[in-house]
């Protein structure tokens, strides 16, 4: 790449920056001041706007969240569930009645169960923060319909969401070393017919055991069918630098069914007003789940023979600003259709489910069910082993080193030590390639007009000299899966969430933003992050130290610039690792003499000492 090409790239970059300025929009595009209000706001005004948006977003989320996806999807069913029979009237009797929650506090969460519907109305995680000191809350809409029971009676679909269940007690007790306690809710449907919902809470787990017991109802429901539903989705728990709902949290929001050995998903687009549902599943149900970026709700049936899952999803608007319109509220619902055994005439039928509401902890989920690990996203199959290995190493080192930033530094040093033999070999290869440059130039001059012959002679020269031109790239090639693995680990795993390092680096799983530009730069955005710049600078210096061919001079500038733009939105942990790796590479190159890098490759040629011929000796021999 010559100087003219570089100048062209620089000019294009300047033009793109100019197009984002106020001057260009006012003088060239003739945009009105109103259109420019958001883009030219001062820092203080921007901050105020951000706070206002944030407050409105929260209000909007709270206002819109109460609408469960399945409620909207099934308006026809809702109409059918309006009181049209004595039983329907009985189930809806508690709709406007205030019933206080029952609070359960364990080592991991604070939950509230409301007797109206016997639903989970609050689930606050004690070990994870949402915004400052505020704890992560996963339940929205006060949990309306969460773990709710529905059934078909005389052709109408009725639910128990507004029915008042009677609890057996109002306090969960973990004193005296108790690790579990039970709460039982009973709904009396008359004539000794009952729906009993039993919840078993574990003191040190995010898991609860749910038992649904149906008494004298096997022939009461149409075809013996009932539903266990989760209606209110899962609440977002991540904010970006400006206090908006994180785009990644929106992107990761999905619903799953694991059935027949396959993970099937329902994914919603980033547009408001979209509704979808899926019921085309086949095979045995292992589990169903709803997830956001770091948290999940999972229902694991004890038996899967009669269960038919259906996933529902709906999007709605959160923000009205153009740049934020794709951050929509995605609400998912799960319906599990189950059926009493056709031949069962038992008076009491009971079903067991396990419900997990908590962090996406790979090792914890794997403990509950072997296939739950597939809920985690470790990237492509080629990258997964690296990602899992890196995660295990991080967790192991974190047992002894409390700061994940320090863990990352030691990990970078460890990787440099491991790849040192390859690095040493690559340096030797680079030096030998450099020594061959005059001969390569001769070949180019001689066979420049015959590319095929030139390639053949070049390879012949490499073979004769024992040089492998690819070997110099081995450390970099080995580095690529590690970079992908670290990218995935820092972006997806709960262990790195909110992991701080020093000073301005508060969260290694997010960009280390220090300022927001009043305009957006193409491929870069409007967030100013420090570590991507440091990474680009160290990459430039490191490449400048290794550059031998003057024709590659342009790459010394282009590659760091490209990587700086690309990495600007990546987690700061990844940028920190790459910066450290570049620094350690420079130290290696500076303090390791080139001629010592590959001593075994140096060809030492000793001068041949010609001994004088002893002519007298020859003459004596002739005698």
């Amino acid at each position: 790449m010559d100087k003219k090409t570089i100048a062209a790239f620089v000019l294009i970059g300047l033009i793109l920056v100019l197009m984002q300025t106020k001057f260009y929009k006012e003088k060239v595009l003739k945009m009105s001041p109103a259109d420019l209000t958001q883009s030219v706001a001062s820092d203080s005004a921007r901050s105020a706007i951000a706070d206002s948006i944030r407050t409105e977003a929260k209000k909007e989320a709270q206002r819109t969240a109460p609408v469960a996806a399945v409620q909207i999807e099934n308006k026809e069913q809702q109409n059918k569930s309006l009181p049209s029979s004595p039983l329907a009237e009985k189930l809806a009797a508690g709709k406007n009645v205030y019933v206080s929650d029952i609070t359960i506090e364990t080592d991991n969460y604070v939950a509230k169960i409301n007797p109206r519907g016997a639903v989970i109305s609050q689930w606050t995680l004690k070990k994870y923060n949402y915004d400052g000191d505020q704890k992560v809350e996963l339940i929205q809409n006060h949990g309306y319909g969460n773990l709710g029971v529905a059934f078909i009676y005389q052709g109408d679909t009725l639910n128990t969401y507004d029915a008042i269940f009677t609890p057996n007690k109002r306090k969960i007790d973990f004193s005296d070393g108790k690790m579990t306690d039970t709460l039982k809710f009973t709904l009396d449907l008359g004539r000794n017919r009952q729906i009993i919902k039993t919840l078993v809470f574990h003191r040190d787990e995010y898991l609860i055991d749910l038992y649904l017991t149906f008494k004298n109802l096997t022939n009461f429901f149409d075809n013996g069918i009932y539903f266990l539903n989760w209606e209110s989705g899962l609440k977002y728990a991540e904010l970006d630098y400006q206090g908006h709902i994180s785009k990644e949290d929106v992107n990761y929001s999905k619903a799953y069914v694991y059935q027949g050995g396959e993970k099937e998903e329902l994914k919603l687009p980033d547009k408001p007003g979209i509704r979808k549902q899926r019921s085309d599943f086949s095979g045995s149900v292992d589990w169903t789940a709803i997830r956001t970026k770091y948290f999940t709700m999972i229902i694991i049936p004890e038996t899967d023979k009669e269960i038919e899952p259906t996933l529902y999803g709906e999007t709605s608007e959160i923000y009205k600003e153009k740049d934020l319109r794709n951050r929509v509220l995605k609400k998912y619902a799960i319906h599990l259709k189950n059926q009493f055994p056709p031949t069962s005439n038992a008076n009491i039928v009971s079903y067991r489910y396990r419900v997990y509401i908590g962090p996406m902890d790979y090792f914890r989920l794997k403990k509950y069910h072997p296939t739950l690990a597939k809920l985690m996203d470790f990237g492509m199959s080629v990258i997964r082993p690296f990602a899992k290995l890196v995660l295990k190493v991080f967790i192991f080192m974190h047992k002894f080193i409390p700061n994940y930033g320090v863990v990352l530094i030691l990990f970078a040093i460890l990787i440099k030590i491991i790849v040192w033999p390859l690095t040493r070999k690559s340096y030797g290869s680079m030096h030998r390639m450099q020594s061959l440059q005059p001969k390569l130039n001769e070949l180019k001059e001689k066979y420049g007009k015959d590319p095929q012959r030139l390639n053949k002679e070049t390879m012949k020269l490499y073979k004769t000299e024992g040089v492998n031109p690819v070997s110099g790239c081995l450390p970099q090639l080995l580095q690529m899966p590690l970079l992908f693995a670290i990218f995935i680990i820092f972006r997806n795993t709960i262990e790195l969430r909110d992991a701080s390092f020093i000073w301005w680096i508060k969260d290694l799983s997010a960009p280390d933003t220090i300022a927001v530009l009043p305009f957006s730069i193409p491929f870069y955005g409007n967030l100013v992050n420090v570590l991507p710049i440091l990474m680009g600078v160290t990459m430039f210096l490191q490449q400048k130290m290794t550059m031998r061919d003057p024709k590659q001079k342009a790459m010394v500038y282009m590659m760091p610039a490209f990587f700086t733009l690309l990495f600007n939105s990546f987690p700061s942990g990844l940028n920190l690792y790459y910066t450290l790796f570049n620094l350690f590479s420079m130290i290696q190159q500076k303090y390791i003499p080139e001629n010592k890098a590959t001593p075994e490759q140096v060809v030492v040629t000793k001068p041949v000492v010609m001994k004088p011929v002893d002519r007298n000796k020859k003459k004596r021999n002739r005698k």
Side-chain angles (χ1 to χ4, degrees), residues 1-3 6 430 433-434 437 440 444 462 469 472-473 539-540 542-560:
M1 192 174 292
D2 55 19
K3 293 181 179 179
I6 296 173
M430 287 166 50
M433 287 291 293
Q434 185 183 4
Q437 200 61 40
L440 292 172
K444 287 180 183 177
Y462 287 153
C473 305
M539 178 183 280
F540 168 75
Q542 197 262 339
Q543 289 199 355
K544 198 171 182 180
M545 290 177 67
T546 57
M547 196 271 294
R548 296 291 186 269
D549 187 356
K551 294 181 180 179
Q552 297 178 353
K553 190 175 180 180
M555 296 301 294
V556 175
Y557 295 93
M558 297 302 297
M559 288 298 291

Side-chain angles (χ1 to χ4, degrees), residues 102 178 189 223 337-338 425 427 476 541 560 610:
I102 298 175
K178 285 177 60 179
L189 299 178
N223 299 319
K337 180 182 176 183
N338 209 335
K425 190 173 182 180
Y427 288 165
Q476 285 72 24
L541 296 174
M610 302 297 291

Side-chain angles (χ1 to χ4, degrees), residues 478-546:
L478 181 62
Q479 191 65 9
M480 294 311 294
L482 278 177
L483 285 176
F484 278 112
I486 293 173
F487 172 78
I488 291 169
I489 293 301
F490 274 100
R491 200 166 188 175
N492 296 344
T493 56
I494 189 72
E495 287 81 3
L496 279 302
R497 182 182 184 270
D498 283 341
S500 62
F501 180 35
I502 55 171
W503 302 323
W504 76 99
I505 306 175
K506 306 296 184 185
D507 185 357
L508 288 168
S509 66
D512 59 322
T513 305
I514 59 169
V516 181
L517 297 174
F519 53 86
S520 180
I521 299 174
F523 309 111
Y524 183 81
N526 63 341
L527 300 180
V528 179
N529 303 308
V530 177
L531 285 175
I533 297 174
L534 293 178
M535 186 276 298
V537 171
T538 54
M539 178 183 280
F540 168 75
L541 296 174
Q542 197 262 339
Q543 289 199 355
K544 198 171 182 180
M545 290 177 67
T546 57

Side-chain angles (χ1 to χ4, degrees), residues 376-422:
M376 303 286 293
D377 184 5
F378 283 113
M380 298 181 293
S381 57
V382 179
I383 305 298
R384 282 177 208 151
F386 290 94
K388 293 176 182 177
L389 178 62
V390 170
L391 178 60
K392 289 179 181 177
V393 172
F394 278 14
I395 292 175
F396 175 77
M397 296 175 69
H398 192 250
K399 292 179 180 177
F400 310 98
I401 306 166
N403 190 310
Y404 266 112
V406 180
V407 168
L408 203 56
I409 293 174
L410 296 178
F411 181 78
I413 295 174
L414 180 65
I415 293 300
K416 290 302 292 185
I417 294 174
I418 292 174
V419 302
W420 166 239
L422 287 176

Side-chain angles (χ1 to χ4, degrees), residues 558-620:
M558 297 302 297
M559 288 298 291
F562 174 74
F563 272 71
T564 301
L565 294 174
L566 181 66
F567 277 50
N568 190 55
S569 60
F570 286 1
S572 55
L574 178 66
N575 282 300
L576 176 62
Y577 172 78
Y578 210 165
T579 303
L580 293 169
F581 193 86
N582 291 334
L583 281 173
F584 296 150
S585 297
M586 284 190 288
I587 293 172
Q588 280 185 333
Q589 290 173 248
K590 184 174 178 61
Y591 292 102
I592 296 176
E594 295 184 358
N595 60 342
K596 293 183 179 180
T598 55
E600 69 279 5
Q601 301 294 341
V602 176
V603 178
V604 179
T605 56
K606 297 181 179 179
V608 178
V609 179
M610 302 297 291
K611 296 181 178 179
V613 178
D614 187 350
R615 297 182 183 277
N616 297 328
K617 185 178 180 181
K618 288 183 177 179
K619 289 179 180 178
R620 284 196 297 273

